[in-house]
Amino acid sequence: MGRFTASWIFVAILSAIPIGTSRAEADEAGAWIRVNQVGYLPDDPKIAVLSSGEPLDGEFTVGDLKASIGPDQGAWGPFAHNYRLDFSAIREPGRYRIQFGETKSPEFAIGADAHAKVPPALLEFMRLQRCGDNPVTNTKCHQQDAIDVDTGEKIDLVGGWHDAGDRLKHMITTSYCVAALQLIDDDGARDEARYGAPLIRKLHPKPDVIYVQIGDDRDHRPPQTLWDDDQSDYGWGPGGPRSAWPATGKPQGPKYKNASTGKASLAGRCSAAMTLSGDLDAARSLYKLALDNPGVAMSVPVAAPHYYGESTYHDDLEWAAVELYRATRDPRYRTEAIAHADKAGDNVWMGRDAHGHYEFFPYVNLAHWRLYDLVDAPVQKRLAEYYRKGLERIRDRALKNPYRIGTPLVWCSTNDVIAFATQARLYERMTGDDQFRSLGAEARDWIFGRNPWGVSFVIGVPDGGRASSRPHHMFYKLADHLPVGGLVDGPVTKQINDGLKFSPFEADPLARFQSDVAVYHDEFADFSTNEPIIDGTVSLLLLLDLWQGS
């Protein structure tokens, strides 16, 4: 512990202390008000959910507003009765609580700056995740990354971010983070992109080579250590160089195989990241690699059969082409971007009950938005329709439950929720059609605590609220440092949860709120619902930026 500064330890321990109304107090009340604990912009739709095991009637109050709780919306999840409390009429800046009888919501803000403290927290998590040279801990790690597993060649792949609570670096997610961060109107986001961008360039040392992963799941074997003391053995001794896995364009893995079919998904996204970073030579080379190798590159399983099974790539080719057109104004790239857009179409996962792990990553096709203002009216109409079709399918599902959640509750479900909210926001900005605004706001609010557990899925956010506080992250377990700002995976179906093996943990304080619909544990042991992820964290940062903008 001596390698951390005293002030760093002090802040970390303070951050880990849970604050707010106790769960026991909430349970005793017999009714619960679920609300976005961070808060609302003045013109936001504002709908809380009052949930109970018994039927209720009467009025709720918020500030000077008094209104009926409305009709019973029926049973869903752990609650037999649910009521939607609409207080959209309140626009005056301030701090508020909703009250129904003796039941009170957590405090929340209304105002133009309601979200102001969230982006800095999200970026602080990204800084904590930095691999190579970490500004939060003032330590270096993984300075020997990496050795090509096929050729035995030493490759400089130092840098980037650790993907989640472990020590791996997945280029599937890193490539997205570098590109998406540069679309955010924030100096801190752009600075973080500048940290990640050099690794993307180094992934592509030769015209036909791109690395998909650095390290692998041998990282999960004991001993558990912090990143700067990684003793994983990849065949070159404990704490030695890590494996560099080149994308081969075909099924890959020494024992278990992924289902890779090409390189275009990864190379296309990396091309977009490089164009946005100003490295056009690398961007062009990566785009050519993507065109020459259609198909998807998946992460590589080694000790266990699990991998990121991305299945789409036309969206990544479109993103590569549209960013190249924006940078060069070469008409060839716009023509190709339109062709890729029509092949990508709408997001086919939207409306499904489930999908595979990272099957449709990054879940929202940002290239449609980036292309929209560069094309004529007929193409614009098609692009908007691709967004609208997916949004309509989610709406059909969401309207069937009182929490208005219509995305699949699969592993990393928060990614899906944020993707829907982002697509709704982009559709409105592109077309002026606000029919999905309320549902988009309710999806955002789900992230910040308007969910059956009443927990914000952003670690430690808001300060003083009910948020994830026991995440599956080594800094929480080994260094008493709460990784504030990390977006956790979020709830999964009971079927998924029951199929996993966790280390034992104490009695679940959220047990009253678990159900056949979904399960979430604010416990270190639950790596499926409570592990923070860099791609989800960046996606939330982008959503908040888009939501704040006109």
Side-chain angles (χ1 to χ4, degrees):
M1 292 294 291
R3 61 190 178 279
F4 301 129
T5 66
S7 61
W8 184 83
I9 297 173
F10 179 69
V11 170
I13 293 174
L14 281 181
S15 298
I17 299 173
I19 304 172
T21 303
S22 72
R23 185 66 59 188
E25 291 171 333
D27 287 351
E28 186 177 350
W32 300 268
I33 297 172
R34 304 312 196 195
V35 68
N36 174 345
Q37 297 175 45
V38 168
Y40 306 82
L41 302 183
D43 63 348
D44 277 349
K46 306 175 188 74
I47 300 172
V49 180
L50 170 65
S51 296
S52 174
E54 302 295 332
L56 304 171
D57 60 43
E59 294 181 320
F60 72 97
T61 60
V62 190
D64 294 332
L65 175 69
K66 179 181 288 188
S68 169
I69 64 172
D72 190 338
Q73 302 286 318
W76 193 72
F79 306 116
H81 304 274
N82 296 276
Y83 305 84
R84 290 168 54 78
L85 314 182
D86 190 337
F87 57 104
S88 302
I90 297 182
R91 300 171 56 88
E92 185 69 22
R95 302 288 300 179
Y96 294 87
R97 289 185 189 271
I98 304 169
Q99 184 162 353
F100 172 77
E102 298 301 313
T103 303
K104 297 180 181 180
S105 76
E107 192 177 54
F108 57 90
I110 294 176
D113 61 349
H115 304 157
K117 293 182 179 179
V118 182
L122 301 176
L123 287 169
E124 183 65 11
F125 174 74
M126 293 300 293
R127 284 188 283 271
L128 178 65
Q129 294 296 109
R130 285 189 186 184
C131 184
D133 191 356
N134 195 297
V136 177
T137 64
N138 294 313
T139 59
K140 294 182 183 293
C141 68
H142 299 119
Q143 295 296 302
Q144 300 182 66
D145 282 348
I147 292 180
D148 187 307
V149 298
D150 290 343
T151 68
E153 180 183 3
K154 181 69 169 66
I155 306 292
D156 176 12
L157 295 176
V158 175
W161 303 280
H162 303 100
D163 186 69
D166 51 28
R167 295 167 290 210
L168 301 187
K169 293 192 290 194
H170 284 293
M171 299 306 99
I172 289 171
T173 53
T174 294
S175 56
Y176 165 76
C177 289
V178 171
L181 282 165
Q182 293 176 94
L183 301 178
I184 297 169
D185 186 18
D186 179 88
D187 289 341
R190 287 187 286 265
D191 181 62
E192 205 58 29
R194 282 191 290 271
Y195 183 81
L199 178 58
I200 300 298
R201 179 63 187 87
K202 291 188 286 188
L203 296 179
H204 182 52
K206 301 174 184 177
D208 61 342
V209 173
I210 187 169
Y211 290 94
V212 68
Q213 183 175 309
I214 301 156
D216 53 58
D217 54 7
R218 285 173 283 185
D219 164 273
H220 292 46
R221 294 171 177 167
Q224 292 183 338
T225 62
L226 298 181
W227 298 326
D228 61 303
D229 189 29
D230 187 354
Q231 295 300 306
S232 301
D233 189 346
Y234 290 90
W236 301 286
R242 299 198 291 177
S243 54
W245 292 93
T248 63
K250 57 187 178 182
Q252 189 174 3
K255 179 180 179 181
Y256 305 102
K257 301 289 185 184
N258 64 24
S260 295
T261 60
K263 304 177 185 180
S265 58
L266 178 62
R269 204 151 56 233
C270 285
S271 174
M274 286 294 92
T275 299
L276 288 162
S277 299
D279 190 339
L280 292 181
D281 288 341
R284 290 188 183 99
S285 180
L286 284 158
Y287 182 52
K288 182 178 186 304
L289 179 66
L291 291 175
D292 291 344
N293 295 269
V296 293
M298 303 182 182
S299 66
V300 183
V302 176
H306 312 297
Y307 56 87
Y308 288 9
E310 191 172 358
S311 67
T312 55
Y313 66 92
H314 289 294
D315 55 333
D316 303 300
L317 288 172
E318 180 189 357
W319 200 359
V322 71
E323 297 302 347
L324 280 167
Y325 176 71
R326 281 183 170 272
T328 68
R329 296 296 161 166
D330 182 338
R332 163 204 164 195
Y333 293 125
R334 181 170 61 178
T335 299
E336 292 178 358
I338 294 170
H340 297 318
D342 288 330
K343 290 179 180 178
D346 73 345
N347 281 311
V348 297
W349 68 267
M350 290 184 161
R352 294 189 178 190
D353 291 333
H355 58 71
H357 193 46
Y358 279 75
E359 184 178 358
F360 299 103
F361 184 76
Y363 305 106
V364 57
N365 183 354
L366 296 174
H368 285 345
W369 162 55
R370 296 288 285 168
L371 181 58
Y372 187 83
D373 66 345
L374 304 174
V375 295
D376 60 20
V379 178
Q380 287 185 335
K381 182 178 180 180
R382 295 204 302 275
L383 295 173
E385 187 173 337
Y386 295 145
Y387 273 176
R388 180 179 53 77
K389 285 181 177 179
L391 295 170
E392 287 175 341
R393 293 196 298 271
I394 295 290
R395 179 173 60 190
D396 289 345
R397 292 169 54 85
L399 292 177
K400 295 175 182 177
N401 67 75
Y403 279 83
R404 298 297 190 259
I405 192 74
T407 50
L409 294 171
V410 295
W411 207 328
C412 297
S413 65
T414 51
N415 259 332
D416 294 47
V417 173
I418 293 168
F420 167 71
T422 300
Q423 187 160 312
R425 182 62 174 159
L426 293 177
Y427 175 80
E428 181 177 353
R429 291 180 67 165
M430 286 158 54
T431 66
D433 182 354
D434 66 357
Q435 64 173 306
F436 302 105
R437 179 187 294 176
S438 184
L439 283 178
E442 294 192 60
R444 176 204 62 191
D445 299 346
W446 172 273
I447 298 296
F448 291 132
R450 207 208 68 155
N451 53 62
W453 304 268
V455 175
S456 168
F457 299 133
V458 183
I459 299 167
V461 175
D463 182 29
R466 301 172 189 156
S468 171
S469 60
R470 298 172 56 83
H472 187 81
H473 196 282
M474 289 303 164
F475 275 77
Y476 166 72
K477 182 177 183 181
L478 302 178
D480 292 326
H481 178 78
L482 192 68
V484 170
L487 178 82
V488 299
D489 296 328
V492 299
T493 63
K494 186 175 185 298
Q495 181 181 13
I496 291 174
N497 192 259
D498 287 350
L500 299 171
K501 294 181 179 180
F502 304 107
S503 301
F505 55 85
E506 298 175 0
D508 177 16
L510 300 177
R512 170 65 180 82
F513 310 114
Q514 314 298 6
S515 70
D516 289 341
V517 171
V519 172
Y520 166 76
H521 297 116
D522 185 18
E523 297 288 344
F524 172 83
D526 192 341
F527 51 83
S528 72
T529 72
N530 210 36
E531 182 173 11
I533 49 177
I534 60 170
D535 47 298
T537 301
V538 169
S539 293
L540 180 57
L541 190 67
L542 176 60
L543 171 63
L544 293 179
D545 182 67
L546 292 167
W547 204 276
Q548 192 78 32
S550 58

PDB file of all heavy atoms in Angstrom, residues 237-267:
ATOM      1  N   GLY A 237       7.102 -16.858 -18.060  1.00  0.00           N
ATOM      2  CA  GLY A 237       7.398 -16.633 -16.655  1.00  0.00           C
ATOM      3  C   GLY A 237       6.385 -15.725 -15.987  1.00  0.00           C
ATOM      4  O   GLY A 237       5.780 -14.873 -16.640  1.00  0.00           O
ATOM      5  N   PRO A 238       6.186 -15.906 -14.672  1.00  0.00           N
ATOM      6  CA  PRO A 238       5.238 -15.040 -13.936  1.00  0.00           C
ATOM      7  C   PRO A 238       5.611 -13.573 -14.065  1.00  0.00           C
ATOM      8  O   PRO A 238       6.766 -13.190 -13.857  1.00  0.00           O
ATOM      9  CB  PRO A 238       5.384 -15.527 -12.488  1.00  0.00           C
ATOM     10  CG  PRO A 238       5.916 -16.915 -12.597  1.00  0.00           C
ATOM     11  CD  PRO A 238       6.805 -16.922 -13.801  1.00  0.00           C
ATOM     12  N   GLY A 239       4.624 -12.768 -14.404  1.00  0.00           N
ATOM     13  CA  GLY A 239       4.860 -11.343 -14.561  1.00  0.00           C
ATOM     14  C   GLY A 239       5.601 -10.976 -15.829  1.00  0.00           C
ATOM     15  O   GLY A 239       5.979  -9.811 -16.012  1.00  0.00           O
ATOM     16  N   GLY A 240       5.786 -11.937 -16.717  1.00  0.00           N
ATOM     17  CA  GLY A 240       6.513 -11.686 -17.960  1.00  0.00           C
ATOM     18  C   GLY A 240       5.633 -11.105 -19.043  1.00  0.00           C
ATOM     19  O   GLY A 240       4.510 -10.641 -18.779  1.00  0.00           O
ATOM     20  N   PRO A 241       6.102 -11.115 -20.300  1.00  0.00           N
ATOM     21  CA  PRO A 241       5.310 -10.570 -21.410  1.00  0.00           C
ATOM     22  C   PRO A 241       3.963 -11.269 -21.527  1.00  0.00           C
ATOM     23  O   PRO A 241       3.808 -12.427 -21.142  1.00  0.00           O
ATOM     24  CB  PRO A 241       6.184 -10.835 -22.636  1.00  0.00           C
ATOM     25  CG  PRO A 241       7.563 -11.020 -22.096  1.00  0.00           C
ATOM     26  CD  PRO A 241       7.397 -11.637 -20.746  1.00  0.00           C
ATOM     27  N   ARG A 242       3.017 -10.554 -22.079  1.00  0.00           N
ATOM     28  CA  ARG A 242       1.688 -11.123 -22.302  1.00  0.00           C
ATOM     29  C   ARG A 242       1.511 -11.482 -23.771  1.00  0.00           C
ATOM     30  O   ARG A 242       2.238 -11.021 -24.655  1.00  0.00           O
ATOM     31  CB  ARG A 242       0.609 -10.134 -21.857  1.00  0.00           C
ATOM     32  CG  ARG A 242       0.693  -9.808 -20.377  1.00  0.00           C
ATOM     33  CD  ARG A 242      -0.578  -9.194 -19.858  1.00  0.00           C
ATOM     34  NE  ARG A 242      -0.836  -7.860 -20.364  1.00  0.00           N
ATOM     35  CZ  ARG A 242      -1.931  -7.160 -20.079  1.00  0.00           C
ATOM     36  NH1 ARG A 242      -2.879  -7.695 -19.323  1.00  0.00           N
ATOM     37  NH2 ARG A 242      -2.098  -5.936 -20.550  1.00  0.00           N
ATOM     38  N   SER A 243       0.507 -12.291 -24.008  1.00  0.00           N
ATOM     39  CA  SER A 243       0.231 -12.756 -25.365  1.00  0.00           C
ATOM     40  C   SER A 243      -0.424 -11.663 -26.200  1.00  0.00           C
ATOM     41  O   SER A 243      -1.286 -10.933 -25.725  1.00  0.00           O
ATOM     42  CB  SER A 243      -0.698 -13.976 -25.319  1.00  0.00           C
ATOM     43  OG  SER A 243      -1.861 -13.690 -24.572  1.00  0.00           O
ATOM     44  N   ALA A 244       0.012 -11.563 -27.445  1.00  0.00           N
ATOM     45  CA  ALA A 244      -0.631 -10.688 -28.428  1.00  0.00           C
ATOM     46  C   ALA A 244      -1.298 -11.579 -29.460  1.00  0.00           C
ATOM     47  O   ALA A 244      -0.628 -12.367 -30.135  1.00  0.00           O
ATOM     48  CB  ALA A 244       0.394  -9.774 -29.090  1.00  0.00           C
ATOM     49  N   TRP A 245      -2.608 -11.459 -29.576  1.00  0.00           N
ATOM     50  CA  TRP A 245      -3.380 -12.329 -30.466  1.00  0.00           C
ATOM     51  C   TRP A 245      -3.721 -11.590 -31.751  1.00  0.00           C
ATOM     52  O   TRP A 245      -4.547 -10.677 -31.742  1.00  0.00           O
ATOM     53  CB  TRP A 245      -4.658 -12.794 -29.772  1.00  0.00           C
ATOM     54  CG  TRP A 245      -4.400 -13.718 -28.623  1.00  0.00           C
ATOM     55  CD1 TRP A 245      -4.265 -13.395 -27.312  1.00  0.00           C
ATOM     56  CD2 TRP A 245      -4.244 -15.140 -28.705  1.00  0.00           C
ATOM     57  NE1 TRP A 245      -4.032 -14.513 -26.548  1.00  0.00           N
ATOM     58  CE2 TRP A 245      -4.007 -15.608 -27.379  1.00  0.00           C
ATOM     59  CE3 TRP A 245      -4.252 -16.067 -29.752  1.00  0.00           C
ATOM     60  CZ2 TRP A 245      -3.801 -16.955 -27.088  1.00  0.00           C
ATOM     61  CZ3 TRP A 245      -4.056 -17.413 -29.456  1.00  0.00           C
ATOM     62  CH2 TRP A 245      -3.833 -17.846 -28.147  1.00  0.00           C
ATOM     63  N   PRO A 246      -3.103 -11.965 -32.866  1.00  0.00           N
ATOM     64  CA  PRO A 246      -3.486 -11.344 -34.140  1.00  0.00           C
ATOM     65  C   PRO A 246      -4.814 -11.897 -34.629  1.00  0.00           C
ATOM     66  O   PRO A 246      -5.092 -13.096 -34.473  1.00  0.00           O
ATOM     67  CB  PRO A 246      -2.346 -11.752 -35.080  1.00  0.00           C
ATOM     68  CG  PRO A 246      -1.837 -13.042 -34.523  1.00  0.00           C
ATOM     69  CD  PRO A 246      -2.038 -12.969 -33.034  1.00  0.00           C
ATOM     70  N   ALA A 247      -5.652 -11.046 -35.175  1.00  0.00           N
ATOM     71  CA  ALA A 247      -6.883 -11.528 -35.800  1.00  0.00           C
ATOM     72  C   ALA A 247      -6.502 -12.309 -37.048  1.00  0.00           C
ATOM     73  O   ALA A 247      -5.754 -11.819 -37.901  1.00  0.00           O
ATOM     74  CB  ALA A 247      -7.784 -10.362 -36.159  1.00  0.00           C
ATOM     75  N   THR A 248      -6.997 -13.532 -37.162  1.00  0.00           N
ATOM     76  CA  THR A 248      -6.646 -14.388 -38.294  1.00  0.00           C
ATOM     77  C   THR A 248      -7.730 -14.450 -39.357  1.00  0.00           C
ATOM     78  O   THR A 248      -7.488 -14.944 -40.458  1.00  0.00           O
ATOM     79  CB  THR A 248      -6.349 -15.815 -37.811  1.00  0.00           C
ATOM     80  OG1 THR A 248      -7.549 -16.364 -37.226  1.00  0.00           O
ATOM     81  CG2 THR A 248      -5.227 -15.820 -36.787  1.00  0.00           C
ATOM     82  N   GLY A 249      -8.938 -13.993 -39.020  1.00  0.00           N
ATOM     83  CA  GLY A 249     -10.032 -14.068 -39.976  1.00  0.00           C
ATOM     84  C   GLY A 249     -10.716 -15.415 -40.027  1.00  0.00           C
ATOM     85  O   GLY A 249     -11.530 -15.673 -40.914  1.00  0.00           O
ATOM     86  N   LYS A 250     -10.383 -16.272 -39.076  1.00  0.00           N
ATOM     87  CA  LYS A 250     -11.009 -17.599 -39.015  1.00  0.00           C
ATOM     88  C   LYS A 250     -11.076 -18.033 -37.554  1.00  0.00           C
ATOM     89  O   LYS A 250     -10.455 -17.401 -36.687  1.00  0.00           O
ATOM     90  CB  LYS A 250     -10.214 -18.602 -39.850  1.00  0.00           C
ATOM     91  CG  LYS A 250      -8.757 -18.731 -39.442  1.00  0.00           C
ATOM     92  CD  LYS A 250      -7.990 -19.619 -40.408  1.00  0.00           C
ATOM     93  CE  LYS A 250      -6.515 -19.700 -40.009  1.00  0.00           C
ATOM     94  NZ  LYS A 250      -5.745 -20.531 -40.970  1.00  0.00           N
ATOM     95  N   PRO A 251     -11.813 -19.107 -37.239  1.00  0.00           N
ATOM     96  CA  PRO A 251     -11.916 -19.546 -35.842  1.00  0.00           C
ATOM     97  C   PRO A 251     -10.547 -19.721 -35.201  1.00  0.00           C
ATOM     98  O   PRO A 251      -9.613 -20.238 -35.817  1.00  0.00           O
ATOM     99  CB  PRO A 251     -12.680 -20.867 -35.947  1.00  0.00           C
ATOM    100  CG  PRO A 251     -13.541 -20.681 -37.161  1.00  0.00           C
ATOM    101  CD  PRO A 251     -12.698 -19.898 -38.126  1.00  0.00           C
ATOM    102  N   GLN A 252     -10.454 -19.300 -33.953  1.00  0.00           N
ATOM    103  CA  GLN A 252      -9.148 -19.126 -33.329  1.00  0.00           C
ATOM    104  C   GLN A 252      -9.205 -19.481 -31.858  1.00  0.00           C
ATOM    105  O   GLN A 252     -10.176 -19.182 -31.170  1.00  0.00           O
ATOM    106  CB  GLN A 252      -8.731 -17.662 -33.518  1.00  0.00           C
ATOM    107  CG  GLN A 252      -7.328 -17.294 -33.148  1.00  0.00           C
ATOM    108  CD  GLN A 252      -7.046 -15.844 -33.532  1.00  0.00           C
ATOM    109  OE1 GLN A 252      -7.920 -15.128 -34.019  1.00  0.00           O
ATOM    110  NE2 GLN A 252      -5.819 -15.408 -33.322  1.00  0.00           N
ATOM    111  N   GLY A 253      -8.150 -20.096 -31.350  1.00  0.00           N
ATOM    112  CA  GLY A 253      -8.033 -20.464 -29.952  1.00  0.00           C
ATOM    113  C   GLY A 253      -7.322 -21.789 -29.819  1.00  0.00           C
ATOM    114  O   GLY A 253      -7.568 -22.706 -30.615  1.00  0.00           O
ATOM    115  N   PRO A 254      -6.440 -21.946 -28.824  1.00  0.00           N
ATOM    116  CA  PRO A 254      -5.652 -23.173 -28.699  1.00  0.00           C
ATOM    117  C   PRO A 254      -6.460 -24.394 -28.297  1.00  0.00           C
ATOM    118  O   PRO A 254      -6.119 -25.516 -28.662  1.00  0.00           O
ATOM    119  CB  PRO A 254      -4.618 -22.814 -27.623  1.00  0.00           C
ATOM    120  CG  PRO A 254      -5.239 -21.700 -26.845  1.00  0.00           C
ATOM    121  CD  PRO A 254      -6.066 -20.926 -27.829  1.00  0.00           C
ATOM    122  N   LYS A 255      -7.522 -24.206 -27.540  1.00  0.00           N
ATOM    123  CA  LYS A 255      -8.372 -25.314 -27.093  1.00  0.00           C
ATOM    124  C   LYS A 255      -9.808 -25.070 -27.506  1.00  0.00           C
ATOM    125  O   LYS A 255     -10.405 -25.847 -28.259  1.00  0.00           O
ATOM    126  CB  LYS A 255      -8.263 -25.486 -25.584  1.00  0.00           C
ATOM    127  CG  LYS A 255      -9.134 -26.605 -25.025  1.00  0.00           C
ATOM    128  CD  LYS A 255      -8.968 -26.718 -23.508  1.00  0.00           C
ATOM    129  CE  LYS A 255      -9.849 -27.816 -22.930  1.00  0.00           C
ATOM    130  NZ  LYS A 255      -9.709 -27.914 -21.454  1.00  0.00           N
ATOM    131  N   TYR A 256     -10.391 -23.990 -27.003  1.00  0.00           N
ATOM    132  CA  TYR A 256     -11.724 -23.561 -27.403  1.00  0.00           C
ATOM    133  C   TYR A 256     -11.579 -22.590 -28.565  1.00  0.00           C
ATOM    134  O   TYR A 256     -10.631 -21.819 -28.621  1.00  0.00           O
ATOM    135  CB  TYR A 256     -12.425 -22.872 -26.238  1.00  0.00           C
ATOM    136  CG  TYR A 256     -12.477 -23.710 -24.982  1.00  0.00           C
ATOM    137  CD1 TYR A 256     -11.591 -23.465 -23.932  1.00  0.00           C
ATOM    138  CD2 TYR A 256     -13.395 -24.737 -24.845  1.00  0.00           C
ATOM    139  CE1 TYR A 256     -11.628 -24.226 -22.772  1.00  0.00           C
ATOM    140  CE2 TYR A 256     -13.435 -25.510 -23.689  1.00  0.00           C
ATOM    141  CZ  TYR A 256     -12.542 -25.245 -22.661  1.00  0.00           C
ATOM    142  OH  TYR A 256     -12.584 -26.004 -21.519  1.00  0.00           O
ATOM    143  N   LYS A 257     -12.513 -22.621 -29.497  1.00  0.00           N
ATOM    144  CA  LYS A 257     -12.422 -21.767 -30.679  1.00  0.00           C
ATOM    145  C   LYS A 257     -13.518 -20.692 -30.654  1.00  0.00           C
ATOM    146  O   LYS A 257     -14.666 -20.973 -30.281  1.00  0.00           O
ATOM    147  CB  LYS A 257     -12.592 -22.601 -31.955  1.00  0.00           C
ATOM    148  CG  LYS A 257     -11.568 -23.723 -32.136  1.00  0.00           C
ATOM    149  CD  LYS A 257     -10.196 -23.173 -32.450  1.00  0.00           C
ATOM    150  CE  LYS A 257      -9.223 -24.305 -32.750  1.00  0.00           C
ATOM    151  NZ  LYS A 257      -7.841 -23.810 -32.960  1.00  0.00           N
ATOM    152  N   ASN A 258     -13.153 -19.492 -31.069  1.00  0.00           N
ATOM    153  CA  ASN A 258     -14.180 -18.499 -31.340  1.00  0.00           C
ATOM    154  C   ASN A 258     -14.764 -18.763 -32.718  1.00  0.00           C
ATOM    155  O   ASN A 258     -14.440 -19.775 -33.354  1.00  0.00           O
ATOM    156  CB  ASN A 258     -13.627 -17.069 -31.200  1.00  0.00           C
ATOM    157  CG  ASN A 258     -12.540 -16.753 -32.212  1.00  0.00           C
ATOM    158  OD1 ASN A 258     -12.453 -17.362 -33.276  1.00  0.00           O
ATOM    159  ND2 ASN A 258     -11.691 -15.778 -31.884  1.00  0.00           N
ATOM    160  N   ALA A 259     -15.618 -17.890 -33.211  1.00  0.00           N
ATOM    161  CA  ALA A 259     -16.278 -18.099 -34.507  1.00  0.00           C
ATOM    162  C   ALA A 259     -15.945 -16.973 -35.482  1.00  0.00           C
ATOM    163  O   ALA A 259     -16.775 -16.576 -36.289  1.00  0.00           O
ATOM    164  CB  ALA A 259     -17.790 -18.220 -34.310  1.00  0.00           C
ATOM    165  N   SER A 260     -14.715 -16.462 -35.412  1.00  0.00           N
ATOM    166  CA  SER A 260     -14.306 -15.361 -36.284  1.00  0.00           C
ATOM    167  C   SER A 260     -14.428 -15.735 -37.751  1.00  0.00           C
ATOM    168  O   SER A 260     -14.175 -16.881 -38.146  1.00  0.00           O
ATOM    169  CB  SER A 260     -12.857 -14.962 -35.986  1.00  0.00           C
ATOM    170  OG  SER A 260     -12.733 -14.432 -34.692  1.00  0.00           O
ATOM    171  N   THR A 261     -14.809 -14.732 -38.564  1.00  0.00           N
ATOM    172  CA  THR A 261     -14.978 -14.943 -40.005  1.00  0.00           C
ATOM    173  C   THR A 261     -14.188 -13.956 -40.842  1.00  0.00           C
ATOM    174  O   THR A 261     -14.156 -14.071 -42.065  1.00  0.00           O
ATOM    175  CB  THR A 261     -16.463 -14.822 -40.390  1.00  0.00           C
ATOM    176  OG1 THR A 261     -16.935 -13.503 -40.041  1.00  0.00           O
ATOM    177  CG2 THR A 261     -17.313 -15.870 -39.686  1.00  0.00           C
ATOM    178  N   GLY A 262     -13.580 -12.957 -40.207  1.00  0.00           N
ATOM    179  CA  GLY A 262     -12.856 -11.938 -40.957  1.00  0.00           C
ATOM    180  C   GLY A 262     -12.212 -10.944 -40.011  1.00  0.00           C
ATOM    181  O   GLY A 262     -12.034 -11.216 -38.821  1.00  0.00           O
ATOM    182  N   LYS A 263     -11.877  -9.767 -40.537  1.00  0.00           N
ATOM    183  CA  LYS A 263     -11.221  -8.724 -39.742  1.00  0.00           C
ATOM    184  C   LYS A 263     -11.929  -7.374 -39.840  1.00  0.00           C
ATOM    185  O   LYS A 263     -11.514  -6.408 -39.209  1.00  0.00           O
ATOM    186  CB  LYS A 263      -9.767  -8.563 -40.203  1.00  0.00           C
ATOM    187  CG  LYS A 263      -8.936  -9.841 -40.166  1.00  0.00           C
ATOM    188  CD  LYS A 263      -7.526  -9.608 -40.695  1.00  0.00           C
ATOM    189  CE  LYS A 263      -6.732 -10.913 -40.762  1.00  0.00           C
ATOM    190  NZ  LYS A 263      -5.354 -10.693 -41.276  1.00  0.00           N
ATOM    191  N   ALA A 264     -12.988  -7.299 -40.640  1.00  0.00           N
ATOM    192  CA  ALA A 264     -13.576  -6.005 -40.977  1.00  0.00           C
ATOM    193  C   ALA A 264     -14.179  -5.286 -39.778  1.00  0.00           C
ATOM    194  O   ALA A 264     -14.123  -4.055 -39.698  1.00  0.00           O
ATOM    195  CB  ALA A 264     -14.632  -6.167 -42.065  1.00  0.00           C
ATOM    196  N   SER A 265     -14.783  -6.008 -38.848  1.00  0.00           N
ATOM    197  CA  SER A 265     -15.400  -5.343 -37.700  1.00  0.00           C
ATOM    198  C   SER A 265     -14.358  -4.565 -36.913  1.00  0.00           C
ATOM    199  O   SER A 265     -14.557  -3.390 -36.577  1.00  0.00           O
ATOM    200  CB  SER A 265     -16.107  -6.363 -36.803  1.00  0.00           C
ATOM    201  OG  SER A 265     -15.201  -7.362 -36.354  1.00  0.00           O
ATOM    202  N   LEU A 266     -13.241  -5.198 -36.621  1.00  0.00           N
ATOM    203  CA  LEU A 266     -12.193  -4.555 -35.840  1.00  0.00           C
ATOM    204  C   LEU A 266     -11.435  -3.519 -36.658  1.00  0.00           C
ATOM    205  O   LEU A 266     -11.227  -2.380 -36.211  1.00  0.00           O
ATOM    206  CB  LEU A 266     -11.228  -5.611 -35.304  1.00  0.00           C
ATOM    207  CG  LEU A 266     -10.040  -5.091 -34.501  1.00  0.00           C
ATOM    208  CD1 LEU A 266     -10.513  -4.373 -33.249  1.00  0.00           C
ATOM    209  CD2 LEU A 266      -9.102  -6.233 -34.145  1.00  0.00           C
ATOM    210  N   ALA A 267     -11.021  -3.885 -37.869  1.00  0.00           N
ATOM    211  CA  ALA A 267     -10.229  -2.966 -38.690  1.00  0.00           C
ATOM    212  C   ALA A 267     -11.034  -1.731 -39.082  1.00  0.00           C
ATOM    213  O   ALA A 267     -10.504  -0.621 -39.131  1.00  0.00           O
ATOM    214  CB  ALA A 267      -9.713  -3.685 -39.932  1.00  0.00           C
TER     215      ALA A 267
END
